[in-house]
Amino acid sequence: MRARLMQCSEDEKRAVLKHHDCTEEELEQLIDRIKEWIVKANLPVEENARNKYRTALLNCKLSLERAKECLRGYYHIRTIYSDFFDMLVPNTKDYMLAKQLVKMAFLPKLSPDLSRIAIVRIDDPQGQAPDGLFYELIPILNTELRIATEDYFLSNTIIIDLEGFGLKNVIKYTPTVNNILVHLMVSINLRLQGLHFLNTPPIMDKVMFLVKNFLPTKFINKVHAHKNADTLYKFIPKECLPENYGGSLQSLEDLHEDWCKASESQEEFFEKLLTVKCEGDLSDMRIKDNDSGFGVDGSFKKLAID
């Protein structure tokens, strides 16, 4: 799967390790320490989870303590929002609808700055999704597949294509849905290189002006709005993008289909993930509608953007 969906050359792997001043043996030792900690912390013990632990460490610049918080957040949100995560099984009715309404793929090539790029585009002109969370079903399925695969990277770049995104889609994002989405983001400590909104409507300028009033400046500097792909190329070279974005890779539709086929062939893997839940009652850690949306009682790390 790795060679087909995500590529990372030996040179790129060495560059990532060199950036962190770490050898492969030292990274494996950190993974062993996390494996031991998972048991002591009474978190779910999974078979073959080393790639997941490696991804957590790389997202946290190899900080052992931050990686632990990242994994704790990951297991907590799978438990807290189990009604949603229980939908994350391929070949179901919900899955078949979701794969039509959202096109998403992690791109096979790392960017020159060793960032793993993801593109998401909602194709739901009739507003068929029951709510905004439904649009996250495919992205999170693909993310689970990604973190279960060996990969080396320095950061993550997300492109959200807003072409065709209209009022019927906007109304799906209720305050409750938005708070849950923020909770999911801050709980996993994603190291973000850039968040790019592509094919933005004119109103996006007004939205960006409003959000700048309450988001950290350092985060705002990572967010970019593009009316078309021409300005996107200043950040991401064409050779790292799909052909329908002016690049040399397969089209987003073809890449999306490849990821869907990979998910559909791993149904047993996703069935096992349904049992990955923490013990005890974590319901009091859900974000409430009147919460700020940037953490729960200081329990989770904020989004890593440096």
Side-chain angles (χ1 to χ4, degrees):
M1 182 183 70
R2 176 186 173 187
R4 182 181 180 187
L5 297 181
M6 293 190 303
Q7 302 164 12
C8 180
S9 69
E10 287 300 314
D11 286 344
E12 288 172 326
K13 177 179 174 180
R14 283 191 291 268
V16 169
L17 293 172
K18 182 178 179 181
H19 176 86
H20 292 299
D21 192 23
C22 178
T23 66
E24 188 171 359
E25 292 75 16
E26 289 170 335
L27 178 55
E28 291 301 315
Q29 290 172 8
L30 287 174
I31 294 173
D32 288 336
R33 292 177 64 182
I34 284 184
K35 186 176 179 179
E36 295 171 0
W37 169 81
I38 288 287
V39 176
K40 295 177 181 177
N42 199 30
L43 293 173
V45 177
E46 302 180 74
E47 295 181 3
N48 305 316
R50 296 187 70 84
N51 289 330
K52 183 174 293 185
Y53 302 158
R54 180 185 295 105
T55 298
L57 283 162
L58 291 173
N59 262 322
C60 299
K61 297 191 288 188
L62 301 195
S63 166
L64 187 61
E65 294 308 311
R66 287 176 63 187
K68 289 178 181 179
E69 290 303 311
C70 170
L71 288 163
R72 192 191 302 275
Y74 165 82
Y75 289 118
H76 280 184
I77 60 175
R78 287 198 64 91
T79 305
I80 296 167
Y81 302 114
S82 59
D83 49 348
F84 167 70
F85 281 93
D86 285 349
M87 296 171 59
L88 300 183
V89 180
N91 303 311
T92 62
K93 182 179 179 180
D94 284 333
Y95 168 84
M96 298 307 292
L97 176 60
K99 70 179 285 190
Q100 295 178 32
L101 303 184
V102 177
K103 304 296 186 294
M104 187 273 177
F106 291 99
L107 303 189
K109 292 185 66 173
L110 289 173
S111 67
D113 57 3
L114 303 177
S115 184
R116 181 62 67 189
I117 305 167
I119 298 184
V120 184
R121 187 183 75 217
I122 294 175
D123 291 328
D124 185 19
Q126 302 306 316
Q128 297 180 67
D131 56 48
L133 277 178
F134 199 79
Y135 295 135
E136 306 305 317
L137 196 153
I138 295 298
I140 294 179
L141 267 171
N142 288 353
T143 298
E144 290 287 3
L145 207 56
R146 177 206 173 182
I147 64 177
T149 306
E150 183 181 6
D151 192 23
Y152 288 80
F153 57 93
L154 287 183
S155 61
N156 302 273
T157 298
I158 301 173
I159 301 171
I160 300 177
D161 186 352
L162 296 176
E163 184 178 16
F165 187 84
L167 182 60
K168 289 183 178 180
N169 311 120
V170 173
I171 62 176
K172 304 295 180 179
Y173 290 91
T174 64
T176 298
V177 167
N178 290 338
N179 276 331
I180 292 174
L181 291 176
V182 171
H183 194 184
L184 297 180
M185 286 185 68
V186 301
S187 296
I188 59 175
N189 203 12
L190 182 69
R191 189 181 183 198
L192 190 63
Q193 173 70 14
L195 175 61
H196 299 269
F197 292 97
L198 185 60
N199 296 316
T200 56
I203 196 175
M204 192 67 182
D205 293 336
K206 295 182 175 62
V207 172
M208 290 299 297
F209 176 79
L210 291 173
V211 298
K212 284 181 180 179
N213 290 324
F214 63 86
L215 288 181
T217 301
K218 198 172 183 180
F219 179 72
I220 288 297
N221 291 338
K222 300 286 184 179
V223 180
H224 307 276
H226 308 274
K227 294 181 180 178
N228 54 56
D230 290 343
T231 53
L232 180 65
Y233 304 145
K234 298 178 182 178
F235 301 90
I236 304 170
K238 290 183 178 181
E239 60 267 23
C240 296
L241 292 168
E243 61 182 16
N244 47 335
Y245 292 90
S248 56
L249 302 179
Q250 292 176 276
S251 68
L252 174 60
E253 289 77 10
D254 287 344
L255 292 167
H256 167 73
E257 187 61 29
D258 285 345
W259 276 89
C260 287
K261 287 179 180 178
S263 294
E264 291 159 13
S265 69
Q266 297 292 327
E267 191 168 348
E268 183 178 352
F269 164 77
F270 286 105
E271 290 284 355
K272 286 183 178 180
L273 277 178
L274 298 181
T275 65
V276 176
K277 294 181 175 67
C278 299
E279 297 180 359
D281 182 15
L282 300 178
S283 59
D284 60 331
M285 299 185 72
R286 284 176 177 262
I287 282 191
K288 306 300 190 297
D289 285 352
N290 60 350
D291 283 335
S292 65
F294 290 95
V296 180
D297 298 329
S299 299
F300 297 111
K301 293 291 186 182
K302 65 181 180 179
L303 186 69
I305 55 179
D306 53 343

